[in-house]
Amino acid sequence: MIVGFRAGHPEVSERNKSFAAIAGTGRFADGDPGSAIHPAVAPTSGDVVVTKRRVSAFTGSDLEVVLRAGGIDRLVLAGIATSGVVLSTVRQAADLDYQLTVLADGCLDADAEVHRVLMDKVFPRQADVVSIADWTASPG
């Protein structure tokens, strides 16, 4: 998954505090090398790359179409920032009836206390919250 916008950022409203600041910089627009996928994890033939245009991985992308077409009903989430992308995606994925796992040490937030509250109190209502080590050691 990548974050991306068309040249000129036509998807970004000036009312959107998060993305309006980015729009003026030209960052994350088509062709911006800063939004390219690192070669070490580059997709291979047949891999699907979803372009994310909002905080939630679902809003404004074709992620749900790709997941449903593939019969995928379980998601494992990690990312930055816990209080932004991860929170928005967890809430929307839960509403879409996905079974969810959040990798606590695979997420990061600028505010450690916000991260802790989300991991300890909010996410467990909708997802299993585990460490990367516990997840990789679990069967299936």
Side-chain angles (χ1 to χ4, degrees):
M1 180 167 291
I2 62 171
V3 175
F5 301 101
R6 293 174 185 88
H9 297 79
E11 308 89 345
V12 178
S13 166
E14 63 187 31
R15 295 180 307 275
N16 186 312
K17 280 184 156 185
S18 298
F19 291 126
I22 293 170
T25 69
R27 291 177 42 219
F28 300 109
D30 291 340
D32 175 18
S35 63
I37 298 173
H38 192 279
V41 293
T44 59
S45 178
D47 287 347
V48 175
V49 176
V50 173
T51 300
K52 187 174 92 62
R53 301 186 191 278
R54 287 293 183 257
V55 176
S56 169
F58 289 97
T59 301
S61 78
D62 60 355
L63 179 59
E64 186 178 11
V65 171
V66 171
L67 295 174
R68 296 287 181 204
I72 297 166
D73 60 5
R74 299 181 77 189
L75 303 178
V76 178
L77 303 172
I80 302 170
T82 311
S83 62
V85 173
V86 181
L87 173 61
S88 295
T89 302
V90 164
R91 301 299 257 198
Q92 192 164 0
D95 280 346
L96 293 169
D97 299 323
Y98 286 96
Q99 292 178 328
L100 302 172
T101 299
V102 175
L103 302 177
D105 52 347
C107 300
L108 181 68
D109 198 273
D111 186 323
E113 179 62 9
V114 169
H115 175 84
R116 184 194 67 74
V117 168
L118 289 169
M119 292 298 169
D120 293 348
K121 298 179 181 274
V122 177
F123 292 164
R125 296 178 188 158
Q126 296 175 301
D128 295 325
V129 178
V130 300
S131 69
I132 294 170
D134 287 346
W135 180 68
T136 57
S138 67

